[in-house]
Short mmCIF file of all heavy atoms in Angstrom, two decimals:
data_model
loop_
_atom_site.label_atom_id
_atom_site.label_comp_id
_atom_site.label_asym_id
_atom_site.label_seq_id
_atom_site.Cartn_x
_atom_site.Cartn_y
_atom_site.Cartn_z
N THR H 266 62.92 102.64 58.03
CA THR H 266 64.09 103.06 58.82
C THR H 266 65.17 101.98 58.79
O THR H 266 65.54 101.44 59.84
CB THR H 266 63.69 103.36 60.28
OG1 THR H 266 63.02 102.19 60.82
CG2 THR H 266 62.75 104.53 60.37
N PRO H 267 65.69 101.68 57.59
CA PRO H 267 66.71 100.61 57.51
C PRO H 267 67.95 100.93 58.33
O PRO H 267 68.55 100.03 58.92
CB PRO H 267 67.02 100.53 56.02
CG PRO H 267 66.59 101.84 55.44
CD PRO H 267 65.43 102.28 56.27
N HIS H 268 68.32 102.22 58.40
CA HIS H 268 69.52 102.56 59.16
C HIS H 268 69.33 102.32 60.65
O HIS H 268 70.30 102.07 61.38
CB HIS H 268 69.93 104.01 58.89
CG HIS H 268 70.68 104.17 57.60
ND1 HIS H 268 71.98 103.76 57.46
CD2 HIS H 268 70.30 104.65 56.40
CE1 HIS H 268 72.39 104.00 56.22
NE2 HIS H 268 71.38 104.54 55.55
N ALA H 269 68.08 102.40 61.11
CA ALA H 269 67.83 102.11 62.53
C ALA H 269 68.22 100.68 62.84
O ALA H 269 68.77 100.38 63.90
CB ALA H 269 66.36 102.35 62.87
N LEU H 270 67.96 99.77 61.89
CA LEU H 270 68.32 98.37 62.14
C LEU H 270 69.83 98.15 62.01
O LEU H 270 70.42 97.41 62.79
CB LEU H 270 67.55 97.44 61.19
CG LEU H 270 67.81 95.95 61.42
CD1 LEU H 270 67.53 95.55 62.86
CD2 LEU H 270 66.97 95.10 60.48
N VAL H 271 70.45 98.82 61.05
CA VAL H 271 71.91 98.72 60.93
C VAL H 271 72.55 99.18 62.24
O VAL H 271 73.44 98.52 62.80
CB VAL H 271 72.44 99.56 59.75
CG1 VAL H 271 73.96 99.55 59.72
CG2 VAL H 271 71.89 99.02 58.42
N GLU H 272 72.04 100.29 62.76
CA GLU H 272 72.56 100.84 64.02
C GLU H 272 72.30 99.86 65.17
O GLU H 272 73.21 99.58 65.97
CB GLU H 272 71.91 102.20 64.31
CG GLU H 272 72.48 102.89 65.52
CD GLU H 272 71.96 104.32 65.69
OE1 GLU H 272 71.05 104.71 64.95
OE2 GLU H 272 72.48 105.04 66.57
N GLY H 273 71.09 99.33 65.23
CA GLY H 273 70.74 98.37 66.29
C GLY H 273 71.62 97.14 66.24
O GLY H 273 72.07 96.64 67.27
N CYS H 274 71.88 96.65 65.02
CA CYS H 274 72.73 95.46 64.87
C CYS H 274 74.15 95.76 65.34
O CYS H 274 74.78 94.94 66.00
CB CYS H 274 72.79 95.02 63.40
SG CYS H 274 71.30 94.20 62.84
N ALA H 275 74.64 96.95 64.97
CA ALA H 275 76.01 97.30 65.36
C ALA H 275 76.12 97.42 66.88
O ALA H 275 77.08 96.93 67.48
CB ALA H 275 76.41 98.61 64.68
N ILE H 276 75.12 98.03 67.51
CA ILE H 276 75.13 98.15 68.97
C ILE H 276 75.08 96.77 69.61
O ILE H 276 75.86 96.44 70.51
CB ILE H 276 73.95 99.02 69.47
CG1 ILE H 276 74.11 100.46 68.98
CG2 ILE H 276 73.82 98.96 70.99
CD1 ILE H 276 72.90 101.34 69.23
N GLY H 277 74.14 95.95 69.11
CA GLY H 277 73.98 94.60 69.66
C GLY H 277 75.26 93.78 69.51
O GLY H 277 75.69 93.10 70.43
N ALA H 278 75.86 93.85 68.31
CA ALA H 278 77.07 93.07 68.04
C ALA H 278 78.18 93.48 69.02
O ALA H 278 78.83 92.64 69.64
CB ALA H 278 77.52 93.27 66.60
N TYR H 279 78.35 94.80 69.17
CA TYR H 279 79.40 95.28 70.06
C TYR H 279 79.15 94.82 71.51
O TYR H 279 80.06 94.39 72.21
CB TYR H 279 79.48 96.81 69.98
CG TYR H 279 80.46 97.41 70.95
CD1 TYR H 279 81.83 97.17 70.82
CD2 TYR H 279 80.01 98.21 72.00
CE1 TYR H 279 82.73 97.72 71.73
CE2 TYR H 279 80.91 98.77 72.91
CZ TYR H 279 82.27 98.51 72.77
OH TYR H 279 83.16 99.03 73.67
N ALA H 280 77.87 94.88 71.91
CA ALA H 280 77.53 94.54 73.30
C ALA H 280 77.81 93.08 73.61
O ALA H 280 78.14 92.74 74.74
CB ALA H 280 76.06 94.86 73.57
N ILE H 281 77.67 92.19 72.62
CA ILE H 281 77.88 90.77 72.89
C ILE H 281 79.26 90.30 72.45
O ILE H 281 79.54 89.10 72.43
CB ILE H 281 76.80 89.89 72.22
CG1 ILE H 281 76.84 90.05 70.69
CG2 ILE H 281 75.41 90.22 72.78
CD1 ILE H 281 76.13 88.94 69.95
N GLY H 282 80.11 91.22 72.06
CA GLY H 282 81.46 90.85 71.67
C GLY H 282 81.54 90.17 70.31
O GLY H 282 82.41 89.33 70.09
N ALA H 283 80.63 90.53 69.41
CA ALA H 283 80.64 89.94 68.07
C ALA H 283 81.19 90.95 67.08
O ALA H 283 81.00 92.16 67.25
CB ALA H 283 79.23 89.52 67.66
N GLU H 284 81.87 90.42 66.06
CA GLU H 284 82.34 91.31 64.99
C GLU H 284 81.43 91.24 63.78
O GLU H 284 81.51 92.06 62.89
CB GLU H 284 83.78 90.95 64.60
CG GLU H 284 84.77 91.28 65.69
CD GLU H 284 86.22 91.11 65.25
OE1 GLU H 284 86.45 90.35 64.29
OE2 GLU H 284 87.10 91.73 65.87
N THR H 285 80.57 90.21 63.75
CA THR H 285 79.74 90.01 62.57
C THR H 285 78.28 89.85 62.99
O THR H 285 77.98 89.09 63.91
CB THR H 285 80.18 88.76 61.80
OG1 THR H 285 81.59 88.82 61.60
CG2 THR H 285 79.48 88.68 60.46
N ALA H 286 77.43 90.57 62.28
CA ALA H 286 75.98 90.41 62.48
C ALA H 286 75.37 90.04 61.13
O ALA H 286 75.71 90.62 60.10
CB ALA H 286 75.37 91.71 63.00
N TYR H 287 74.50 89.04 61.15
CA TYR H 287 73.77 88.67 59.94
C TYR H 287 72.31 89.04 60.11
O TYR H 287 71.70 88.70 61.14
CB TYR H 287 73.88 87.16 59.68
CG TYR H 287 75.29 86.69 59.37
CD1 TYR H 287 76.02 85.97 60.30
CD2 TYR H 287 75.87 86.97 58.13
CE1 TYR H 287 77.31 85.54 60.02
CE2 TYR H 287 77.16 86.55 57.85
CZ TYR H 287 77.87 85.83 58.80
OH TYR H 287 79.15 85.40 58.51
N VAL H 288 71.78 89.74 59.13
CA VAL H 288 70.36 90.08 59.15
C VAL H 288 69.66 89.12 58.19
O VAL H 288 69.83 89.23 56.98
CB VAL H 288 70.10 91.54 58.73
CG1 VAL H 288 68.63 91.89 58.88
CG2 VAL H 288 70.96 92.49 59.54
N TYR H 289 68.94 88.16 58.74
CA TYR H 289 68.28 87.15 57.90
C TYR H 289 66.88 87.65 57.56
O TYR H 289 65.98 87.67 58.41
CB TYR H 289 68.22 85.82 58.65
CG TYR H 289 67.70 84.65 57.84
CD1 TYR H 289 68.57 83.70 57.32
CD2 TYR H 289 66.34 84.50 57.58
CE1 TYR H 289 68.10 82.63 56.57
CE2 TYR H 289 65.86 83.43 56.84
CZ TYR H 289 66.75 82.50 56.34
OH TYR H 289 66.28 81.42 55.61
N ILE H 290 66.70 88.08 56.31
CA ILE H 290 65.41 88.64 55.88
C ILE H 290 64.71 87.65 54.97
O ILE H 290 65.33 87.09 54.06
CB ILE H 290 65.62 89.97 55.11
CG1 ILE H 290 66.45 90.94 55.97
CG2 ILE H 290 64.28 90.59 54.73
CD1 ILE H 290 66.69 92.29 55.31
N ARG H 291 63.44 87.44 55.18
CA ARG H 291 62.72 86.47 54.35
C ARG H 291 62.74 86.90 52.88
O ARG H 291 62.70 88.09 52.56
CB ARG H 291 61.29 86.27 54.84
CG ARG H 291 60.44 87.50 54.78
CD ARG H 291 59.04 87.25 55.27
NE ARG H 291 58.37 86.26 54.45
CZ ARG H 291 57.08 85.98 54.51
NH1 ARG H 291 56.31 86.62 55.38
NH2 ARG H 291 56.54 85.08 53.73
N GLY H 292 62.80 85.92 52.00
CA GLY H 292 62.98 86.19 50.58
C GLY H 292 61.85 86.98 49.94
O GLY H 292 62.04 87.66 48.94
N GLU H 293 60.67 86.89 50.52
CA GLU H 293 59.52 87.59 49.93
C GLU H 293 59.58 89.10 50.18
O GLU H 293 58.87 89.86 49.52
CB GLU H 293 58.20 87.06 50.51
CG GLU H 293 57.86 85.64 50.11
CD GLU H 293 58.45 84.62 51.08
OE1 GLU H 293 59.36 84.97 51.86
OE2 GLU H 293 58.01 83.45 51.02
N PHE H 294 60.40 89.52 51.13
CA PHE H 294 60.46 90.94 51.49
C PHE H 294 61.39 91.69 50.55
O PHE H 294 62.45 92.17 50.95
CB PHE H 294 60.95 91.10 52.93
CG PHE H 294 59.86 90.99 53.97
CD1 PHE H 294 58.54 90.73 53.61
CD2 PHE H 294 60.16 91.19 55.31
CE1 PHE H 294 57.54 90.64 54.57
CE2 PHE H 294 59.15 91.11 56.28
CZ PHE H 294 57.86 90.82 55.91
N THR H 295 61.00 91.81 49.29
CA THR H 295 61.91 92.42 48.32
C THR H 295 62.20 93.88 48.65
O THR H 295 63.31 94.35 48.48
CB THR H 295 61.33 92.30 46.91
OG1 THR H 295 59.97 92.71 46.92
CG2 THR H 295 61.40 90.88 46.42
N GLU H 296 61.16 94.59 49.12
CA GLU H 296 61.38 96.01 49.41
C GLU H 296 62.26 96.22 50.65
O GLU H 296 63.25 96.96 50.58
CB GLU H 296 60.02 96.72 49.57
CG GLU H 296 60.12 98.20 49.36
CD GLU H 296 58.83 98.92 49.73
OE1 GLU H 296 57.77 98.27 49.78
OE2 GLU H 296 58.90 100.12 49.98
N PRO H 297 61.96 95.56 51.77
CA PRO H 297 62.89 95.68 52.91
C PRO H 297 64.30 95.23 52.55
O PRO H 297 65.28 95.84 53.00
CB PRO H 297 62.27 94.76 53.97
CG PRO H 297 60.84 94.69 53.62
CD PRO H 297 60.76 94.80 52.13
#
Side-chain angles (χ1 to χ4, degrees):
Chain H
T266 55
H268 279 286
L270 183 55
V271 174
E272 185 172 8
C274 285
I276 294 171
Y279 175 66
I281 61 162
E284 291 188 337
T285 310
Y287 295 107
V288 185
Y289 187 103
I290 306 181
R291 62 180 299 190
E293 292 89 343
F294 274 2
T295 48
E296 201 189 340

